[in-house]
Structure formats: C-alpha cells, structure tokens
C-alpha cells in the first residue's frame, strides 16, 4: 500500500485526497543514490558539510555532485538561509532526534528559486520562489513523529548549499510581498510560533501573551501575537534586548536575571497572562505557571536545560492551565503564516546577516547569543 514519491515512501490512501495527511508520512529518504532509481547528476554545488569530529569548526565548504531532481522533487537555487538553536546541536551531532540517516549539510530554514523539477511535480513550477517545511511530509492534519525521517537539515540535507534538491510535498510558494530574506527565517521559528499561537492557543484580540527570550521564536512570536491583537510581555537577560522588543511592540519587558521570580511579578502587572510561549523548557516552567492567569495555555516549545529541581507545577490544577508541547508545524500552517505575513506587510526581525562564505561565523554568532531575532546567511 505504499508508493515512492521522490524517494519518500507515502501511504497510498493518504495521497487519494490530494494531500499527504499528517501521520501518513512513512518517509524514507531513499534519494541521493541510496534508492533504486538511477541517479543522474545535475552538475555540482558548493555546500557546507559537517566534518569529524563534529562541531562548528568542522564545517567545510566543499564542491560536491548534485543529482537531478527525481520524481516528486525540485531543484532549488538557494538565495538565503538562517540558523535556529537546534542547528547548533545538529552540527555538533548532539541533536536528540535523528532519523535513519543524518544530514551532511545543515539548516532547516531557507528560501530560493526553483530551477528544475522531477517527474510528476504539479504544485510547483520552474521559476517559482519557494521555501520548504522542515518536515516536508507533514502536509496537514495530526502530528506523527515519523515525519522526522525527512527532516530538512537533520535527517536529509539542508539549506547551507548553493543548490538543494527537496521533496515537492514540503514546498510553499512565496507571495510577492515576502522577500527571500524574510521567507528564509520562517520554516522553523515562524511556523512553530504560528502553530503555538493560532492553532494551539487560538490567541484572541485583547489576550496577553508571554514569550520567553529574544531569539528567533520569541521575536516572530511577539510579531504574530501583535498581529492577532494581543498584548505581549517578554523576558530577557538583557535590558538592551528588552528595549528592542519594546520597539517591536512589547507592552512589558522583565529582566529574568535581575528579577528571578519574574512569574509573580508578571502576574501582578498583568493580572495573569493568557498564553505562554515557553521557549526555554522545564527550567522556566514554574515561573511560567506563576505568570499565568486562570485557564491560560502554556505551549512547550523550548528544549532547554534541566532545572536544578523538578517543576513544582503549583498552578496546573489550581489555575486549570493547559500544557501542550509542539514540534514545529505542517505545510498548511506554513501557508497560513505566509498569507498572514503578506497581508500585513510583516517583516521578521533579522539582526545579523553573513555571506555564504562566512557561514561558520553565523553559527558562532548564534552561540554568543548576542542577537535579537534571526541570524541570516545570504547565498547570492
Ligand atoms: N518545539 C519546536 O518545534 C521548536 C522549534 C524551534 C525552536 N525550538 C526551541 O525553542 C528554543 C528557542 O529557539 P530559537 O531558535 O528561538 O533560539 P535562539 O534564537 O538561539 O534564542 C534563544 C533565546 O533563549 C533565551 N533564553 C535562554 N535562557 C532563558 C531564560 N531562562 N529565560 C528566558 N529566555 C531565555 C535567550 O534570551 P535572552 O538572550 O534575551 O536572555 C535567547 O535569546 C530552543 O530551545 C529551540 O530548541 C523548538
């Protein structure tokens, strides 16, 4: 009951409705010479590959053969890419969720122009400006962890190359209003924030949203929450970063270094927030619950460090809180996000831009965590 589409095994019944349903994606990356079909080369590409021993210093710029797009795939000329917290773990080969194959080329976020398509490709045409979901086989519907088998920049090769072959199923066409640079920041942090705010928490005008930190997820989270008519509260280790978040529309900023018990402080100032983008994880969960109002929704996004002691979870029952973890989002969510960004002229905050040849410096910038928003890499 399965068929191969571009090297990705998809259950046949899930194709009948015209889309690959979530959970349908029994994706096996049989491409890049590992599959049965003969592989034809489309020349070469320059790409940054992870070396041994792994880590930022192991990244090497190489020229490697590039195969032609197979059935259900597209060849894309990359214009821009950007880095997420997880990419540092992937480059160090320490990211916890790996599939049957590990990517040689990192980065799950990027955008570019389609220059060739394989057999059977119908949704995308040569010349289209596109980005890709980082789970290309999660098109819509419910989550299924099998989508990790095709995870761009983790279990299949990612965007840190001049050209890349990707499955058509994950590609989204960019609206004219959205630049390559903006689009290249969205597949991970943008889609995750959209999923948290608009699918899980269903944020309403007048709600108060708390978002932790000033990185990629938090800044686009702030922008999208404002778009939905919400007030936004931000925490950060830096007053200067909080000032930038205020310029971006935050109502209140709290420094978690100088106010370690920021949860009660935020509760007092706001009467309790309605939604928390928990971008850190277990270490901050107690304070997030303290900041929450009755019936608030806390969306678990961060995969950060363990706390010195387990969360006490004081308010979970008393406040009737909702606690929901998410892993990125579907193609449907990415398409909705792009439509909202185009309609409102929203520009994701890119604070630092590096040239393709300086890609390791962009990773070091992420490591220093001096940035607010996104760190971008320009490819052309
Ligand atoms: N579940 C998912 O699908 C998903 C998707 C994307 C990202 N993530 C996770 O979300 C987190 C953020 O990712 P990112 O790409 O936005 O990272 P990033 O750009 O590197 O930003 C990390 C931010 O974390 C903040 N931070 C660290 N400790 C903090 C604390 N105790 N309280 C508040 N903020 C704290 C820092 O804020 P300051 O510098 O302002 O102090 C920093 O700006 C990571 O754990 C990542 O793995 C999960």
């Amino acid at each position: 009951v399965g068929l191969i589409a571009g090297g990705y095994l998809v259950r046949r019944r899930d194709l009948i409705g015209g889309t690959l349903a979530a959970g349908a994606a029994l994706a096996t990356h049989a491409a890049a010479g590992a599959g049965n079909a003969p592989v034809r080369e489309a020349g070469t590409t320059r790409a940054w590959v992870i070396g041994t021993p792994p880590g930022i210093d192991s990244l090497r710029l190489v020229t490697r053969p590039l195969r032609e797009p197979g059935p259900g795939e597209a060849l894309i000329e990359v214009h821009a890419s950007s880095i997420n917290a997880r990419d540092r773990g992937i480059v160090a080969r320490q990211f916890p969720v790996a599939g049957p194959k590990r990517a040689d080329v990192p980065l799950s976020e990027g955008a570019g122009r389609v220059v060739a398509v394989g057999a059977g490709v119908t949704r995308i045409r040569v010349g289209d400006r596109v980005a890709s979901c980082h789970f290309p086989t999660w098109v819509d519907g419910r989550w299924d962890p099998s989508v990790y088998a095709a995870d761009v920049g983790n279990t299949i090769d990612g965007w840190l190359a001049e050209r890349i072959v990707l499955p058509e199923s994950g590609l989204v066409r960019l609206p004219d209003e959205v630049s390559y640079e903006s689009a290249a920041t969205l597949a991970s942090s943008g889609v995750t924030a959209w999923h948290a705010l608009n699918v899980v928490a269903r944020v309403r005008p007048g709600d108060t949203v708390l978002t932790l930190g000033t990185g990629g997820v938090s800044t686009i989270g702030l922008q999208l929450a404002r778009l939905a008519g919400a007030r936004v509260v931000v925490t950060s280790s830096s007053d200067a970063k909080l000032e930038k978040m205020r310029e971006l529309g935050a109502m209140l900023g709290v420094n978690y270094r100088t106010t370690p018990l920021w949860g009660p402080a935020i509760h007092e100032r706001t009467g309790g927030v309605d939604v928390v983008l928990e971008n850190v994880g277990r270490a901050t969960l107690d304070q997030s619950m303290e900041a929450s109002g009755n019936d608030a929704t806390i969306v678990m996004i961060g995969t950060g460090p363990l706390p010195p002691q387990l969360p006490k979870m004081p308010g979970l029952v008393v406040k009737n809180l909702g606690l929901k973890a998410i892993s990125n989002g579907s193609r449907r969510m990415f398409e909705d996000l792009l439509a909202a960004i185009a309609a409102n002229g929203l520009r994701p905050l890119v604070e630092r831009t590096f040239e393709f040849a300086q890609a390791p410096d962009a990773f070091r910038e992420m490591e220093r965590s001096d940035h607010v928003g996104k760190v971008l890499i320009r490819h052309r």
Side-chain angles (χ1 to χ4, degrees), residues 229-275:
R231 299 184 183 91
V232 179
V233 181
V234 182
T235 60
S236 174
S237 56
S238 149
D239 289 343
K241 288 182 174 184
L242 286 173
E243 189 48 42
K244 287 183 189 167
M245 296 299 263
R246 274 192 212 98
E247 284 164 19
L248 212 56
M251 166 187 82
L252 173 66
V254 178
N255 187 319
Y256 62 80
R257 289 258 161 80
T258 54
T259 309
L261 297 180
W262 44 267
I266 291 171
H267 193 283
E268 195 182 313
R269 295 283 297 271
T270 61
V273 303
D274 302 291
V275 178

Side-chain angles (χ1 to χ4, degrees), residues 83-86 188-189 192 212-218 235-238 241 256 262 279-280 284 300-304 326-328 366 369 371 373-374:
I83 307 183
N84 288 277
R86 78 174 199 145
S188 181
S189 43
T192 301
L212 304 193
T214 55
V217 178
S218 195
T235 60
S236 174
S237 56
S238 149
K241 288 182 174 184
Y256 62 80
W262 44 267
N279 302 322
V280 179
T284 43
M300 297 302 294
I301 295 171
T303 51
I326 57 169
S327 292
N328 190 244
M366 281 293 283
S369 201
H371 66 284
K374 298 294 291 187

Side-chain angles (χ1 to χ4, degrees), residues 364-379:
R364 290 185 192 103
E365 178 72 31
M366 281 293 283
E367 201 167 47
R368 278 193 297 278
S369 201
D370 287 341
H371 66 284
V372 171
K374 298 294 291 187
V375 174
L376 192 89
I377 299 170
R378 192 169 25 223
H379 292 229

